[in-house]
Amino acid sequence: MNRQIIRTKSFVTDAANFILELAHRALAERDQFRIALSGGNTPRLVYAQIARVAHDLPWERILITFGDERCVPPDSEQSNYRMARENLFLAATVPEKSILRMRGEIDPHLAAQEYQDHLDLIATQRGEQIYRHDLILLGLGDDGHTASLFPGTSALEEASRRVVANFIPKFNSWRLTFTFPLINHARSVCFLVGGGKNAELIERVLAGDSQYPATRVNPSAGELTWLIGQ
């Protein structure tokens, strides 16, 4: 694993440029770009920036997945899909066939299995054992969680399934989430960490403090980037 840490005062622009650079590289090398989006507020402006500047992206050759999702309908204000749709998909006219949505409105276990099955089918069609993302975007929660891999939850120890339903006691609710076997299989993983995040938390995660799930993101044959706003 190669790790780079980028601290920037131009967070939105630099994050968008980083994503677009990887997109063009993947398209040139494999004629497809597979990206998993993260939710929350931090990437909102990044997605909007991509929609503004990426006029030359061939969206029909891009496959967009989601690293996690709340178990809510797609029109809910809590939905990661809705946030991405409002800030990126509509503005950039991304075709529906390029978007693979997690169905947060159905039974969580069924939704997780359905999503993994879909990724497995695409991988099989390409002769891959496991679906491999070109880029997975992740955030960092105040408790050190990433995707919906929260401290003390069962999904942290999942070794075989790649998408699971994870119960989050602190919210008394279910989430759908990628697991470490899928995340760490990516060609590139990028944490998007806004300028308002607790600096001590960031440093403890970067130092490898094992109490934080984010420290377990280590792409086995890929690149790990931390893009941190200042």
Side-chain angles (χ1 to χ4, degrees), residues 22-73:
L22 283 189
H24 288 297
R25 184 196 309 171
L27 288 164
E29 293 177 356
R30 291 176 293 279
D31 199 38
Q32 187 182 54
F33 178 53
R34 300 174 176 179
I35 179 173
L37 302 184
S38 60
N41 285 318
T42 300
R44 188 184 301 268
L45 294 178
V46 177
Y47 298 161
Q49 174 71 2
I50 291 173
R52 280 193 294 271
V53 303
H55 306 298
D56 61 337
L57 269 189
W59 290 105
E60 70 280 359
R61 289 192 283 135
I62 295 173
L63 183 56
I64 300 169
T65 57
F66 288 83
D68 73 320
E69 182 59 279
R70 297 173 174 88
C71 290
V72 296

Side-chain angles (χ1 to χ4, degrees), residues 80-95:
N80 289 340
Y81 166 79
R82 174 177 170 172
M83 185 275 283
R85 181 174 185 271
E86 291 177 345
N87 290 279
L88 176 59
F89 303 158
L90 292 177
T93 320
V94 179

Side-chain angles (χ1 to χ4, degrees), residues 52-147:
R52 280 193 294 271
V53 303
H55 306 298
D56 61 337
L57 269 189
W59 290 105
E60 70 280 359
R61 289 192 283 135
I62 295 173
L63 183 56
I64 300 169
T65 57
F66 288 83
D68 73 320
E69 182 59 279
R70 297 173 174 88
C71 290
V72 296
D75 59 354
S76 168
E77 291 185 357
Q78 298 180 50
S79 167
N80 289 340
Y81 166 79
R82 174 177 170 172
M83 185 275 283
R85 181 174 185 271
E86 291 177 345
N87 290 279
L88 176 59
F89 303 158
L90 292 177
T93 320
V94 179
E96 287 293 328
K97 69 176 184 178
S98 293
I99 305 163
L100 183 56
R101 179 176 74 84
M102 286 180 165
R103 294 207 293 160
E105 69 275 22
I106 66 174
D107 175 81
H109 297 282
L110 179 61
Q113 188 62 56
E114 176 185 80
Y115 209 74
Q116 178 170 310
D117 288 347
H118 202 140
L119 294 183
D120 287 349
L121 176 60
I122 297 171
T124 299
Q125 291 170 342
R126 287 278 182 133
E128 305 165 351
Q129 288 188 325
I130 299 176
Y131 184 94
R132 192 174 193 193
H133 286 87
D134 295 300
L135 174 62
I136 295 179
L137 299 176
L138 295 174
L140 178 66
D142 291 337
D143 56 1
H145 83 266
T146 193

